[in-house]
Amino acid sequence: MTMTKPAGRARWGDRLVGYPADRAEAYRRAGEWTDRPLAHRLQDSVDRYADRPAVTTDAGTITYRELGRRTDQIAAGLLDLGLSPGEPIIFQATNRLETVLTWYGCIKAGLVPVATLAAHRGHEIGHISRAVGAVGHVVEAGLSFDLVDFAREQAQGHPTLRTMLTIGAPAGEGTPVETLGADIAPDDARARVAAVQAEIDPLDVVAFQLSGGTTGVPKVIPRRHVEYWDNARLYARRLGWTEDTRVAHLIPIIHNAGISCGLHAAHSVGACLILATADVTQAFPLMARARATDVLIGHGHYQAVASPAFDEVRPVLRTVILSGAKVSSELFERVDDGEKRWAGQLFGMSEGLFTVSPHESPASARMTTVGTPIADTDEIRILEPGTETEVADGEVGELTCRGPYTIPGYYDAPEHNRMAFTSDGFYRTGDLASIVVIDGVRYVSIDGRIKDLINRGGEKINAEEVEQLLVTHPNVANAAVVAMPDPRLGERTCAYLVTVDGAVLSMSEMREHLQARGVAKFKWPERLEFVRAFPQTNVGKIDKKRLRADIVARLAETPDQ
Ligand code: AMP
């Protein structure tokens, strides 16, 4: 006998951690939580800004009215495919209008988007889709890797995956979102969305994001209706956005920063999202043509901003937010002219917390710190690592936080949650930070990190996950993966290997090995170093600090291995 799974919070049961009642109450009182489903909040903007531009891409512009109508139809089309509210849908699509339409279409149908990336492969998708019980898979065709074929493979023998949705695929390949629901009368589609939304519990999950992770497998981050749209609205409020703002986004829109600081933030205030790609030869001209006023620049694009190519778009921009790595004075001055163009910084994570430079803060604070938290009810504490003892202002410790849009726990990870949160519910970010007081304001400065990951142009690579994969090669006895500095991406991955009987593993053998295991390419080490044994700390752990220093020295000698 098959059982129909419940749609609401009951579906997830004790795999979700709830917010304590007193904090929930405080967030509602502060107006930073809203007990309405996300699709209702989107509809408010559709009604209010109907004829304003909602999304601009290289392919053209759609208005809020068109966005509302088309996403209603997609939602009704998804329901007609037999998908039911509460069911998770894996996303593997790049920055295209159809990605946005499918995201909202799913949410309107009560489905739960899972923010995986087009770059993910079987190792990641196989694990995550099973962890959440995904039933649908959105894939973009026409990329260098055949995601349509991949989706077909993934569905084989999968316990829950049954529906493939395609973007840009030839006829006959799954269900194309371009035409999905297009023949459903707009009023009918609206009524069906309204019926689904009437049943939604605002405390339920609206989307799953993925954590960069601190242990072997990526953790799943449940974001909820009650907080997710407000999170974005608070970001837009911090930057003073209005319906006249035109926000460009170049990094993957599906990342939490894309959804929260790009898509939802723009639409929470009636602004236009200019959806570009990471390729600046396409992105900068589009931004210039569409007269982008605001942009978020990740550290993978710091070099492009310093280059002459940025001159094309610089004159139209008013606000540039830099994020991901320390900002040099040259970079800051390139985007902040002290008059018309304002630069600030952002620190954020899919688990929640965003800190952003406040508008009125002096240039010194905007250049050297990542600002202050965006919600009034956000709380941050800097703790001595591994303890619950707060350090004094100015001292470096682990950044911990709790607040209206920071998760109280990962999905289905009780053991990990015990380590990842303090006894009073502060999330341990794994980042090193200090409080810098300037003119009486307490700003956050990011000073490094404790967690063992590589930040490759914004994509986080979990060292332990890669090490575990490398040691499955028969020639590898032990592996230690560290970040090596890279001028363009900030960091790239170097693997130190101890091989069995001193055997050698070529770069191509290592790649073949990871490819065979279906590991996303951005996680593949880009340099190999062979050692007899790893340096140890005095507590008998691999001394990664020494390995990082070693690779810096080796890079100076042999930049290209
Ligand atoms: P994600 O969840 O992928 O957005 O990654 C969040 C992590 O990115 C944080 O915990 C930091 O380690 C890193 N990060 C985000 N913003 C910054 C920043 N402005 N400076 C340094 N690291 C950052």
Side-chain angles (χ1 to χ4, degrees), residues 90-93 137-141 147-148 150-151 164-168:
I90 296 278
F91 268 66
Q92 289 196 277
H137 195 166
V138 179
V139 282
E140 178 174 333
L147 282 172
V148 176
F150 172 69
M164 176 176 33
L165 300 153
T166 57
I167 293 175

Side-chain angles (χ1 to χ4, degrees), residues 323-325 346-351 370 429 431 446 451 455 458 460:
S323 180
L346 170 147
F347 167 86
M349 63 192 66
S350 309
E351 285 82 356
V370 292
T429 63
D431 292 299
I446 300 298
K451 58 188 169 193
N455 188 347
K460 312 302 179 303

Side-chain angles (χ1 to χ4, degrees), residues 210-213 221 255-257 299 302 322-327 345-352 354-355 370 399 427 429-432 446-449 451 453 455 458-460:
L210 298 186
S211 133
I221 297 169
H255 273 173
N256 184 57
H299 71 163
Y302 282 7
L322 300 161
S323 180
K326 287 262 181 243
V327 172
Q345 292 193 49
L346 170 147
F347 167 86
M349 63 192 66
S350 309
E351 285 82 356
F354 281 114
T355 70
V370 292
L399 176 64
Y427 170 63
T429 63
D431 292 299
L432 288 170
I446 300 298
D447 303 308
R449 61 176 176 253
K451 58 188 169 193
L453 55 78
N455 188 347
E459 293 304 348
K460 312 302 179 303

Side-chain angles (χ1 to χ4, degrees), residues 9 12-20 203 222 224 407-414 417 421:
R9 258 181 296 161
W12 311 114
D14 58 9
R15 285 172 293 181
L16 283 188
V17 179
Y19 285 82
L203 286 174
R224 300 163 198 246
I407 53 165
Y410 289 100
Y411 168 78
D412 200 15
N417 284 338
F421 292 83

Side-chain angles (χ1 to χ4, degrees), residues 114-404:
V114 185
T116 42
L117 300 172
H120 283 144
R121 298 290 176 263
H123 169 70
E124 293 85 18
I125 298 297
H127 163 71
I128 294 155
S129 64
R130 282 170 175 79
V132 299
V135 302
H137 195 166
V138 179
V139 282
E140 178 174 333
L143 302 176
S144 57
F145 177 78
D146 188 343
L147 282 172
V148 176
D149 221 33
F150 172 69
R152 238 184 254 115
E153 265 170 41
Q154 287 296 303
Q156 275 169 25
H158 193 290
T160 53
L161 263 185
R162 59 175 196 267
T163 305
M164 176 176 33
L165 300 153
T166 57
I167 293 175
E173 303 265 28
T175 300
V177 297
E178 288 85 351
T179 50
L180 182 61
D183 54 355
I184 302 174
D187 287 349
D188 290 349
R190 184 90 284 270
R192 296 192 50 203
V193 167
V196 167
Q197 294 298 318
E199 297 299 316
I200 285 189
D201 172 353
L203 286 174
D204 208 346
V205 179
V206 63
F208 284 118
Q209 282 288 349
L210 298 186
S211 133
T214 48
T215 55
V217 279
K219 298 285 174 295
V220 177
I221 297 169
R223 302 299 304 256
R224 300 163 198 246
H225 289 269
V226 77
E227 50 87 15
Y228 209 28
W229 191 262
D230 278 327
N231 179 181
R233 182 182 60 83
L234 294 167
Y235 179 76
R237 177 184 76 174
R238 166 60 59 93
L239 293 175
W241 288 358
T242 68
E243 70 253 45
D244 294 322
T245 306
R246 292 181 299 279
V247 186
H249 201 85
L250 292 74
I251 39 195
I253 194 71
I254 216 83
H255 273 173
N256 184 57
I259 297 295
S260 296
C261 311
L263 183 68
H264 291 175
H267 292 163
S268 71
V269 294
C272 178
L273 173 71
I274 300 165
L275 189 55
T277 68
D279 175 1
V280 295
T281 62
Q282 181 264 352
F284 288 168
L286 172 65
M287 286 162 66
R289 270 198 319 278
R291 307 199 65 74
T293 57
D294 287 55
V295 68
L296 169 62
I297 296 287
H299 71 163
H301 283 117
Y302 282 7
Q303 265 197 345
V305 166
S307 78
F310 187 66
D311 290 339
E312 182 177 5
V313 62
R314 194 162 167 256
V316 299
L317 287 169
R318 294 288 164 268
T319 304
V320 177
I321 298 291
L322 300 161
S323 180
K326 287 262 181 243
V327 172
S328 67
S329 54
E330 292 78 25
L331 179 67
F332 187 82
E333 279 153 22
R334 174 112 172 107
V335 287
D336 188 303
D337 62 4
E339 288 175 40
K340 285 197 314 242
R341 234 179 332 280
W342 181 97
Q345 292 193 49
L346 170 147
F347 167 86
M349 63 192 66
S350 309
E351 285 82 356
L353 181 71
F354 281 114
T355 70
V356 179
S357 308
H359 230 271
E360 63 287 0
S361 51
S364 62
R366 287 184 276 121
M367 201 167 84
T368 58
T369 78
V370 292
T372 62
I374 59 170
D376 296 340
T377 54
D378 274 326
E379 300 170 85
I380 54 176
R381 280 186 196 156
I382 314 284
L383 303 181
E384 237 171 68
T387 74
E388 299 204 355
T389 311
E390 248 181 291
V391 302
D393 284 358
E395 275 178 35
V396 175
E398 183 177 13
L399 176 64
T400 68
C401 55
R402 66 179 190 186

